[in-house]
């Protein structure tokens, strides 16, 4: 049984003195916790009316402005020291926060993006090169040009017209206006690729549309929001070259990095080149390795150059060659080779 229990139950008179002391200690602790007394730093006056605090450090209180003025000379050194320490603490917190955010950003930036989606017909990985696939506005599918070029046969084995969409078999548009209407319909279904294409047409003034970089930028933003990472690369280019926006290299790099994180190998290569120009060759090497795995052949040349000047190892260069061969193994097919041989604009690596 505790002492407090003895006090409550009155079991022993010998405990009276212990109870008194215990009660006093409890009362003192409650008073210390609840009744914090304000003391004037100049005259020592106590009371709730001592609430005129130092305007700079906020650490000492005075009973009035007169005491504050009298104590200013004595308090000045301590006040400045407190401000210095507070500033150092604040700057250190900012530094640690910035380092933590930079670490998290780099973890995200240097993570290998997932590979491109597969062709919906042959179920083989789509090539990185734009000339390796075709977008169809009728159904919103991106089909490899091997399947686009492949012959189509009827039930009797006769080759038939293959100008129709290889996925949904819709005939091609007969006019620019019809193609525009199809793309607008796909935009209504939140098709990211449709927004991107429309943005490119406004940027370049194609399909009878007026050249409008502001409208193009708006459409690229929407395409990016819907998950098409290449659109971020176009936004970065707009800030890089100042197309209807003020040149802003910091913003350009931000959008190039977003595109790279999303799997755009062109943006990944550009970010790597930017790191090279800044002298950050270790970071540049990381970007080029990731770009090679995504199918960018130009990055192999950059890794070879870094190797030649001693900023990449033989193992780095060998790894890059193996990664690119692995990429080719995922995208190559006999039908795609036939398409590339038949038409230059079907080249896929």
């Amino acid at each position: 049984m505790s002492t407090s229990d003895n006090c409550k139950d009155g079991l022993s008179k010998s405990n009276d003195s212990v109870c008194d002391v215990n009660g006093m200690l409890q009362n003192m602790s409650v008073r210390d916790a609840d009744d914090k007394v304000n003391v004037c730093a100049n005259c020592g006056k106590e009371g709730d009316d001592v609430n005129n605090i130092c305007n700079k450090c906020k650490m000492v209180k005075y009973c009035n402005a007169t005491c504050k003025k009298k104590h200013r000379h004595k308090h000045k050194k301590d006040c400045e020291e407190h401000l210095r320490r507070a500033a150092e603490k604040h700057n250190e917190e900012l530094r640690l926060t910035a380092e933590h955010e930079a670490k998290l950003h780099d973890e995200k930036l240097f993570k290998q993006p997932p590979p491109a989606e597969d062709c919906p017909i042959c179920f083989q990985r789509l090539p990185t090169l734009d000339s390796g696939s075709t977008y169809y506005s009728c159904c919103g599918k991106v089909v490899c040009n091997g399947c686009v070029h492949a012959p189509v046969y009827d039930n009797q084995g006769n080759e038939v017209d293959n100008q129709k969409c290889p996925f949904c078999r819709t005939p091609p548009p007969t006019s620019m206006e019809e193609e525009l209407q199809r793309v607008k319909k796909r935009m209504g279904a939140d098709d990211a690729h449709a927004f991107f294409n429309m943005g490119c047409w406004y940027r370049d003034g194609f399909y009878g549309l007026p050249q409008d970089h502001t409208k193009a930028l708006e459409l690229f933003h929407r395409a990016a929001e819907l998950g098409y990472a290449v659109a971020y690369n176009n936004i970065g280019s707009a800030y890089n070259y100042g197309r209807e926006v003020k040149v802003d290299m910091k913003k350009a790099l931000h959008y190039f990095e977003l595109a790279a994180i999303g799997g755009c190998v062109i943006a990944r290569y550009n970010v790597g080149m930017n790191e090279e120009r800044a002298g950050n060759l270790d970071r540049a090497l990381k970007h080029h390795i990731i770009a090679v795995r995504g199918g960018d052949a130009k990055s192999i040349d950059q890794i070879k150059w870094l190797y030649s000047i001693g900023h990449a190892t033989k193992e780095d260069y060998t790894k890059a060659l193996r990664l690119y061969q692995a990429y080719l193994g995922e995208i190559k097919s006999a039908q795609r080779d036939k398409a590339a041989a038949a038409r230059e604009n079907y080249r896929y690596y």
Side-chain angles (χ1 to χ4, degrees), residues 6 19 31 52 68 81 85 102 107 130 150 202 214 224 232 238 262-263 283 287 325:
N6 286 335
C19 293
R31 185 164 57 248
N52 195 330
K68 180 191 287 187
E81 178 65 13
R85 291 181 179 179
E107 288 177 359
D130 288 341
Y202 269 107
T214 302
Y232 280 128
R283 292 175 66 86
H287 284 298
Q325 286 301 315

Side-chain angles (χ1 to χ4, degrees), residues 12 52 59 106 115 169 187 223 256:
S12 174
N52 195 330
M59 294 298 292
D106 278 359
R169 308 306 297 158
M187 289 168 64
F256 284 147

Side-chain angles (χ1 to χ4, degrees), residues 19-40:
C19 293
D20 292 340
V21 172
N22 195 35
M24 289 173 64
L25 290 173
Q26 289 179 353
N27 291 335
M28 288 174 64
S29 65
V30 171
R31 185 164 57 248
D32 289 341
D34 297 338
D35 302 326
K36 186 176 181 181
V37 179
N38 293 337
V39 181
C40 177

Side-chain angles (χ1 to χ4, degrees), residues 30-98:
V30 171
R31 185 164 57 248
D32 289 341
D34 297 338
D35 302 326
K36 186 176 181 181
V37 179
N38 293 337
V39 181
C40 177
N42 181 58
C43 67
K45 178 183 176 182
E46 299 181 359
D48 294 338
D49 58 340
V50 181
N51 53 19
N52 195 330
I53 64 174
C54 173
N55 296 329
K56 291 184 178 179
C57 70
K58 315 293 185 185
M59 294 298 292
V60 295
K61 296 182 179 182
Y62 302 95
C63 54
N64 53 48
T66 302
C67 278
K68 180 191 287 187
K69 186 175 181 180
K70 287 181 179 180
H71 195 251
R72 184 180 300 163
H73 180 72
K74 293 181 179 179
H75 176 58
K76 182 178 180 181
K77 186 175 180 180
D78 290 340
C79 184
E80 290 176 349
E81 178 65 13
H82 174 77
L83 291 175
R84 183 186 67 79
R85 291 181 179 179
E88 287 180 351
K89 182 180 179 182
H90 178 65
N91 291 335
E92 179 66 10
E93 289 174 350
L94 291 177
R95 185 186 67 81
L96 293 174
T97 299

